[in-house]
Amino acid sequence: MSRREEYETRTQALLEPIAREYGVSVYDVEYVKEGADYHLCAYIDKPEGVNIQDCENVSRALSDALDREDFIADAYVLEVSSPGLGRALKKEKHLQAAMGREVEIKLYKPVDKCREFAGVLEGVDKDSITILEGETARTFRRTDVAQVRLAIDF
């Protein structure tokens, strides 16, 4: 397990009971380097959407828990927020929850001279993701998919 994975896993374990206490769920945890700084990002969610008070409550409690455990060697910025409307669908549970919804898919390499596709998420298995573009089903190998996000419809 890499250091990043260890930090994310341990943070998620600390975050789960805090999230339950405040009536939210954990969507994702990321430990990323942006420029010279490290960021520990905790994304929380609830059916009606999170508000600033939810983020503040969880942030304070998580910060205290992280200070007690003190397992992250680097200085970092803690961020607690909603995953947003155009949230990334990285985990299997995210993809399953998005079935039947409009998504945007970005590929590593072009297919039919395109790297970006949009459609209704129709199917997901360990090897592929299928969307429906109008009447046309289009299946992509998971290894070719760089990113899947919920589509934002304005």
Side-chain angles (χ1 to χ4, degrees):
M1 179 182 291
S2 71
R3 181 176 65 139
R4 178 190 57 79
E5 291 170 322
E6 177 190 347
Y7 292 170
E8 290 173 355
T9 300
R10 290 183 72 179
T11 300
Q12 176 129 2
L14 288 175
L15 182 56
E16 290 288 349
I18 293 168
R20 278 192 301 277
E21 178 182 341
Y22 288 104
V24 298
S25 61
V26 177
Y27 186 81
D28 200 8
V29 175
E30 292 181 315
Y31 184 73
V32 295
K33 186 170 186 179
E34 294 180 9
D37 299 321
Y38 288 96
H39 293 257
L40 180 61
C41 306
Y43 300 101
I44 59 173
D45 203 11
K46 64 182 181 185
E48 64 274 18
V50 297
N51 59 43
I52 192 73
Q53 191 64 54
D54 295 322
C55 294
E56 182 180 341
N57 291 339
V58 171
S59 180
R60 288 178 192 274
L62 179 57
S63 180
D64 291 346
L66 288 164
D67 287 347
R68 277 192 308 276
E69 296 292 321
D70 197 27
F71 57 86
I72 300 177
D74 307 304
Y76 62 90
V77 175
L78 175 63
E79 300 174 16
V80 176
S81 69
S82 161
L85 294 175
R87 62 191 59 192
L89 306 174
K90 295 190 222 170
K91 298 181 178 181
E92 197 62 33
K93 69 179 183 177
H94 300 157
L95 290 164
Q96 292 300 327
M99 293 297 284
R101 297 183 66 187
E102 184 88 14
V103 298
E104 296 171 348
I105 293 179
K106 291 185 182 176
L107 304 176
Y108 291 112
K109 294 185 261 183
V111 170
D112 299 331
K113 298 183 181 179
C114 287
R115 289 180 55 168
E116 297 182 18
F117 297 87
V120 174
L121 186 59
E122 245 343 82
V124 176
D125 63 33
K126 69 181 183 79
D127 298 318
S128 65
I129 296 174
T130 301
I131 62 171
L132 194 57
E133 292 180 308
E135 299 294 317
T136 306
R138 192 179 274 274
T139 301
F140 304 96
R141 290 189 319 231
R142 298 235 353 212
T143 55
D144 294 338
V145 176
Q147 183 179 71
V148 182
R149 291 191 167 279
L150 282 182
I152 300 174
D153 189 18
F154 291 103

